[in-house]
Amino acid sequence: SQKIEQNSEALNIQEGKTATLTCNYTNYSPAYLQWYRQDPGRGPVFLLLIRENEKEKRKERLKVTFDTTLKQSLFHITASQPADSATYLCAPTGGGNKLTFGTGTQLKVEL
Amino acid sequence: DGGITQSPKYLFRKEGQNVTLSCEQNLNHDAMYWYRQDPGQGLRLIYYSQIVNDFQKGDIAEGYSVSREKKESFPLTVTSAQKNPTAFYLCASSIIRGEGNQPQHFGDGTRLSIL
């Protein structure tokens, strides 16, 4: 069955450093991959979408890569700030309107 | 401002009682979704609808029911058949476009607890 893995342990980094979060998937070949941010007690907010034929996508301080050979996406936040602290969810999907989400990785950016 | 409104923010249910969670959107989106989120688990799809008066079961539909009488509204009823209803419930919406996989817009959720 389809499986999505994100680090369950929180990632703690210092302000100004680059945070890198990992999303691995097995037993399927998604054509798209979305990343969302979720703050405590709030709904997820869409950040970026990358297609299987795109190796990398950027938006301001965010960068996403999509390696279909490794079955992995990396999500980078450069020059991280305490305001970036949140849980980040990936959703690799084959298409259509249904999304399947990973469990998310909590990021904590410390001063 | 356009968005999705979920109400109430907190809801308590007694054993054997049905409760209905509200979800309204003014984004003019065709598709709407209900997810359940439990600690340590990803969002799991309960039901979704792509058009008025039509909806499909998601991965964990047992013990839940929905209706889609208006484009803007997609209420979820948690029935007494749902034996473990305590969770954070999220409603989302999206446009429908040919290639699919459109970003979803989420409400701020309803936290349901059993008394």
Side-chain angles (χ1 to χ4, degrees):
Chain A
S1 61
Q2 297 177 358
K3 191 174 181 182
I4 303 167
E5 291 184 348
Q6 294 187 257
N7 280 350
S8 57
E9 292 183 15
L11 176 64
N12 297 319
I13 65 166
Q14 264 192 324
E15 183 179 20
K17 301 292 186 184
T18 296
T20 299
L21 286 70
T22 304
C23 175
N24 295 302
Y25 56 90
T26 53
N27 297 329
Y28 69 123
S29 298
Y32 309 88
L33 198 146
Q34 298 185 20
W35 282 90
Y36 288 77
R37 168 185 172 139
Q38 186 175 23
D39 291 287
R42 307 292 299 272
V45 174
F46 170 76
L47 296 175
L48 282 166
L49 179 151
I50 187 167
R51 294 172 174 78
E52 62 178 340
N53 60 353
E54 297 175 316
K55 298 302 181 188
E56 180 180 298
K57 199 153 190 181
R58 294 175 184 259
K59 179 182 176 182
E60 298 172 354
R61 293 184 296 111
L62 309 180
K63 184 179 85 170
V64 171
T65 62
F66 192 3
D67 190 325
T68 55
T69 301
L70 293 178
K71 294 186 179 293
Q72 180 181 81
S73 175
L74 298 178
F75 178 83
H76 307 273
I77 305 176
T78 59
S80 59
Q81 305 165 1
D84 295 326
S85 298
T87 295
Y88 292 86
L89 308 170
C90 71
T93 310
N97 297 299
K98 289 171 56 179
L99 296 182
T100 305
F101 287 87
T103 55
T105 297
Q106 186 179 13
L107 173 67
K108 296 179 182 177
V109 182
E110 299 163 339
L111 292 169
Chain B
D1 286 340
I4 297 185
T5 301
Q6 290 188 244
S7 61
K9 192 164 182 64
Y10 299 95
L11 187 58
F12 299 92
R13 193 190 93 169
K14 293 181 180 178
E15 295 284 350
Q17 194 178 51
N18 293 354
V19 290
T20 298
L21 284 60
S22 170
C23 178
E24 303 278 333
Q25 55 101 357
N26 60 4
L27 298 166
N28 199 33
H29 286 170
D30 287 306
M32 296 187 74
Y33 315 82
W34 273 105
Y35 294 90
R36 170 183 172 138
Q37 188 174 35
D38 295 280
Q41 297 198 40
L43 279 69
R44 292 184 289 167
L45 183 64
I46 304 173
Y47 269 99
Y48 65 104
S49 168
Q50 300 187 82
I51 195 169
V52 173
N53 292 324
D54 189 45
F55 47 83
Q56 287 76 41
K57 292 182 179 180
D59 301 318
I60 55 165
E62 186 174 350
Y64 300 97
S65 67
V66 293
S67 63
R68 187 91 186 272
E69 296 177 1
K70 298 186 300 182
K71 186 176 183 177
E72 302 79 20
S73 180
F74 192 40
L76 173 75
T77 297
V78 184
T79 74
S80 57
Q82 172 50 243
K83 297 307 177 189
N84 185 23
T86 296
F88 188 47
Y89 290 87
L90 287 159
C91 179
S93 70
S94 74
I95 63 173
I96 296 177
R97 196 168 282 168
E99 65 178 7
N101 211 241
Q102 297 301 313
Q104 293 186 7
H105 297 255
F106 284 83
D108 276 339
T110 292
R111 192 167 296 279
L112 176 62
S113 302
I114 299 300
L115 289 177

